Amino acid sequence: MGNIGRVAFETLGCKLSYAETMSYCRDFEANGCEQVSPRQQADIVVVNTCSVTEHADKKCRNYIRRLNRLSPDARIVVTGCYAQLAAEEISKMDGVWCVVGSAYKSRLVTLALSPSLDRKVFVNPSEEDSGFFPAWSSGERTRSFLKVQDGCDYHCTYCTVPLARGGSRNGTIASIVEQARQAAAQGVSEIVLTGVNTGDFGKTTGESFLNLLKALQEVEGISRYRISSIEPNLLTDEIIEWIASGTKFLPHFHIPLQSGCNKILKAMHRRYNTEFFSNKIAKIRSHIDNVFLGIDVIVGFPGETDEDFQETYSFLETVRPAFIHIFPYSRRKDTPAASLPGQVQESVKSCRVARLEELCRRLHTEFVEENRGRREEVLFESSNKGGKMFGYTRNYIRVERDFDPETIGKTVWVTL
Ligand code: SF4
């Protein structure tokens, strides 16, 4: 193959994958490659895949086919969760140069650029230690996603993530602080800490999540931090009290609930019940004013009756999150829940999703109204949509204004 300078990236899935893709991108550029759009012809195409649902798997296959049609001579390098779970199948697809699993992420650029390979599949069984591949996103002038943790040792009965990403592991506080400094040097002012089970940070280094937050607090140039998601049982009272003591960590929490019904939480093997969850929310609210709470909920888990769903609905009305991330249950191969009795019909799932979407709209409107008239600090982002730019308050309310290039990456006080 002649000159292999043009590299395109396609990322399907979460903030963690996006941070990893941006790290690959920097490595390719350090090797003299030029990033091009995935809608252009390329010599190498990196597809960072997701496998959170059956639909995600199908989408990945479609993307690989489309990219192969667009650049028939390109080397398609497939990585990410679906690559780890379906390596052999993917390796047989047209245009695939190699499939790179969790354990080989730090070698992805070398494998993509090497003159030849003795095989296509570079994947170790997920139970083996894959090491920690550090990553942070660059290229966005305001915000960066910083990977602090990977993998998971929890085994929720519906989830394939531990199979795709392996056991819980993390980088050292020193290395993560160094990456935050690099992001600050690029003009980033807000960092979103990301991981699979972010609050489980410290498993492989013996360090604590709270000490990580305290170390990041000292990084100059970064004025805001958000935690992308944290399990309720890992968001300790100590962390809440420290964040409430006046830090750069914003009044914004994204906490997976999954169900508001204890029977279903038990069947999911979640590590708390509804009482624990509502006490945690009460704790946050008693220490942090105007806090934005985003909550994940799965509807249609096997065995979920109308009464169970109504329990979830009522629980959410009581907890009153500012936003509900709603996921219809997706039956995943090799998960215990896939063989549970009482699989819920898709039409029933759709009805329940629609009811929660309506509830989410109502609760979000109420949250915004409760903040009306308050003064808030907004960090404006770089995109210009129809002459408008937007940004988020500290408590994650979206604010729009006329586009002004001088305001990009600046924090501005506004009255909501
Ligand atoms: S904690 Fe999250 S990533 Fe881990 S098994 Fe449960 S749902 Fe999956």
Side-chain angles (χ1 to χ4, degrees), residues 352-379:
R352 292 175 184 172
V353 167
R355 285 198 59 204
L356 288 193
E357 283 172 344
E358 185 275 325
L359 176 62
C360 177
R361 280 190 293 276
R362 175 158 59 86
L363 292 172
H364 190 260
T365 305
E366 288 171 10
F367 178 74
V368 172
E369 281 314 309
E370 281 158 21
N371 281 270
R372 195 151 306 286
R374 287 189 49 248
R375 296 278 293 162
E376 257 290 343
E377 214 183 22
V378 178
L379 173 60

Side-chain angles (χ1 to χ4, degrees), residues 259-264 303-315 344 348 352 355:
S259 177
C261 167
N262 285 335
K263 180 191 101 182
I264 299 295
E304 184 186 69
T305 63
D306 288 346
E307 293 71 32
D308 298 336
F309 174 71
Q310 189 50 46
E311 257 186 69
T312 293
Y313 191 97
S314 309
F315 184 75
V344 177
V348 174
R352 292 175 184 172
R355 285 198 59 204

